[in-house]
Amino acid sequence: MMKLSDSAVQDVAFKALDAFKIEIPSWGFANTGTRFGKFVQAAAATTIEEKFADAGEVNKLTGVTPTVALHVLWDLPNGVKDVPEVKGLEKRFGVKSGSINPNLFQDQEYKYGSLCNPSADIRAHALEHMLDSIEIGKALGSRDISLWMADGSNYPGTQSMRKRITWLEEALKASHDQMAPGQRLLVEYKPFEPAFYHTDIADWGMSSHLAKFAGPQARVLVDTGHHYSAQNIEQIVAWLLHTNMLGGFHFNDRRYADDDLTLGSIDPYQIFRIFHEIHAATDDGLGSGEIAYMIDQSHNLKGKMEAMVQTVATAQELYLKAALVDRKKLAGLQHSCDLVDAEELYRGAFWTDVRPVVSAWRVARGLPADPLAALKESGYVERAAKERGSRSMAVSSYA
Ligand code: LRH
Ligand code: MN
């Protein structure tokens, strides 16, 4: 059994924790809900300034969230014109703008789709928003344009799925060709919701094809909540690493569908198995440095700040547990098909309580040993509730 006190293990642990960064979503701080309602929180963020303030506080407490993902129409409603204000907020709160997420799902005209809509005018309008989002990314120095589309249909026979593929290929190629050399287009897939018969980008194969068709700067984005419960997500990750098409993750957890619950709340072993595939691939020189780790959750009941800090800490712990698998020894046991020994070694790392070494790493890096406790002690949430209360209780948009 590995002993965490052993300095060699500590070195591996500290090296892994130094390398781990995760991006947090601006919409994770806002009042969000389901179609059955939204329970507003006084301390929730409604302005882009409050979202950056919260993101800055999470980074101060954890030290591993230097970027915040932005959703264009929610965070930069005036497009590129909002960039100077956002740059000012980056300086004030010490966090940079991360992935730029176009909004191609809320405009009334997108009822039958955006980039896949049968109307050429509506497709052109959707492409315009994609190109605006790419220009915002250039102006903010963001690497990733992270695309999710709600496009699909609700009834068999009502849309031509192949025509929609052609329109999508054209739009993503045009978007790719607009990007600056260092930019990437991440194509997120989702099997269903809000469309309930077909979704145009429904699985990793479709996303991978579209990314390859678009060009060399396009990759696949894996949202852990966007899979049927019987799917083996870490096998999909292994294929995307093997084919060099893995661009990044939207981490969250679920019991049933795209529940967007906090990471590790339902099936922490799932995230451990994903991180193991990545550590093992990195050993073989695959995927390193290219994989964007991002959180995509909607905190409908938990306090927004608590949920975000809890999620970041859980992600660190699961990333480290997987990093501590003795992969050389495991490779030998896999080769000799020593099933039980291999499983005990692999799962043994998952059973390991790494929280003491993560706290030791935080203290060594001048961070609070327990960021959740530090958040409570800071009174940050109570102060935010006082300052924001009246405004946040009267919200209208989704996030
Ligand atoms: C869609 C999704 C997508 C975001 C949205 C907030 O379900 O995962 O990544 O645009 O959530
Ligand atoms: Mn997502």
Side-chain angles (χ1 to χ4, degrees):
M1 181 60 74
M2 102 189 49
K3 282 189 287 315
L4 286 180
S5 54
D6 163 331
S7 65
V9 173
Q10 272 232 356
D11 295 355
V12 171
F14 276 39
K15 195 159 151 290
L17 292 168
D18 283 338
F20 184 72
K21 296 279 180 290
I22 191 162
E23 181 164 295
I24 49 183
S26 66
W27 53 93
F29 298 115
N31 277 314
T32 51
T34 71
R35 58 186 164 171
F36 304 108
K38 182 191 290 190
F39 301 102
V40 294
Q41 297 179 20
T46 48
T47 65
I48 186 67
E49 179 185 359
E50 290 164 353
K51 291 171 183 174
F52 266 88
D54 292 354
E57 188 68 15
V58 172
N59 192 42
K60 219 167 68 190
L61 291 165
T62 66
V64 296
T65 60
T67 58
V68 55
L70 303 176
H71 235 300
V72 175
L73 294 186
W74 298 339
D75 301 319
L76 302 105
N78 309 305
V80 170
K81 294 195 215 55
D82 288 334
V83 165
E85 182 199 359
V86 170
K87 284 199 167 185
L89 295 172
E90 291 179 340
K91 285 197 186 56
R92 259 178 71 195
F93 298 106
V95 283
K96 291 279 292 157
S97 302
S99 63
I100 303 300
N101 297 255
N103 291 61
L104 287 176
F105 45 83
Q106 60 198 76
D107 296 33
Q108 287 304 308
E109 66 178 343
Y110 294 151
K111 183 175 181 181
Y112 303 117
S114 62
L115 297 175
C116 300
N117 194 296
S119 149
D121 293 347
I122 294 173
R123 294 200 302 275
H125 183 234
L127 179 59
E128 203 183 316
H129 179 69
M130 276 297 287
L131 302 182
D132 290 350
S133 302
I134 291 167
E135 291 312 310
I136 289 170
K138 289 175 185 171
L140 285 170
S142 290
R143 176 185 67 178
D144 296 338
I145 305 301
S146 189
L147 172 68
W148 172 72
M149 296 184 343
D151 289 36
S153 68
N154 276 358
Y155 302 97
T158 59
Q159 285 292 303
S160 162
M161 291 185 275
R162 281 189 297 105
K163 281 194 185 130
R164 294 169 74 99
I165 296 169
T166 305
W167 295 327
L168 197 44
E169 289 172 337
E170 289 162 4
L172 296 188
K173 187 148 195 45
S175 301
H176 182 283
D177 299 349
Q178 170 99 0
M179 293 197 298
Q183 285 188 300
R184 300 190 312 168
L185 175 63
L186 304 183
V187 182
E188 182 176 1
Y189 58 88
K190 183 175 182 177
F192 64 90
E193 191 210 28
F196 293 108
Y197 166 63
H198 100 283
T199 292
D200 291 290
I201 311 179
D203 69 18
W204 70 279
M206 300 175 197
S207 178
S208 193
H209 162 80
L210 289 164
K212 277 200 188 104
F213 188 95
Q217 292 165 246
R219 294 284 186 277
V220 173
L221 187 141
V222 178
D223 185 312
T224 49
H226 293 182
H227 301 87
Y228 301 113
S229 44
Q231 278 185 285
N232 185 327
I233 303 174
E234 62 270 25
Q235 184 185 17
I236 292 171
V237 171
W239 271 84
L240 291 171
L241 286 161
H242 180 77
T243 56
N244 195 24
M245 288 307 292
L246 180 62
F249 291 91
H250 276 179
F251 285 126
N252 47 63
D253 213 333
R254 81 283 173 60
R255 182 68 193 78
Y256 301 102
D258 189 22
D259 310 348
D260 281 341
L261 301 176
T262 44
L263 178 138
S265 58
I266 305 293
D267 182 3
Y269 197 36
Q270 169 64 79
I271 305 298
F272 170 88
R273 299 194 304 268
I274 290 173
F275 279 142
H276 170 74
E277 290 305 324
I278 294 167
H279 288 302
T282 305
D283 292 350
D284 307 337
L286 289 174
S288 56
E290 286 296 304
I291 303 169
Y293 297 129
M294 299 175 277
I295 294 167
D296 179 8
Q297 295 169 181
S298 52
H299 305 130
N300 302 339
L301 303 180
K302 285 181 176 180
K304 320 273 176 191
M305 287 293 290
E306 295 91 333
M308 200 70 87
V309 171
Q310 180 195 35
T311 297
V312 173
T314 305
Q316 284 182 297
E317 291 157 19
L318 292 167
Y319 182 83
L320 176 54
K321 284 172 186 275
L324 293 177
V325 172
D326 181 339
R327 290 183 292 279
K328 273 199 189 34
K329 195 165 174 201
L330 183 66
L333 295 168
Q334 289 171 336
H335 183 72
S336 54
C337 296
D338 288 316
L339 307 185
V340 174
D341 291 352
E343 184 183 36
E344 286 305 310
L345 183 150
Y346 177 90
R347 203 173 48 185
F350 178 70
W351 295 143
T352 305
D353 183 357
V354 297
R355 290 173 291 186
V357 72
V358 178
S359 297
W361 172 83
R362 292 185 181 124
V363 172
R365 299 293 179 271
L367 298 160
D370 178 342
L372 258 182
L375 173 66
K376 281 196 181 60
E377 277 141 34
S378 72
Y380 181 89
V381 175
E382 291 70 22
R383 271 197 310 284
K386 273 205 198 63
E387 285 157 22
R388 302 171 186 181
S390 57
R391 197 154 12 77
S392 60
M393 303 309 269
V395 286
S396 57
S397 84
Y398 173 76

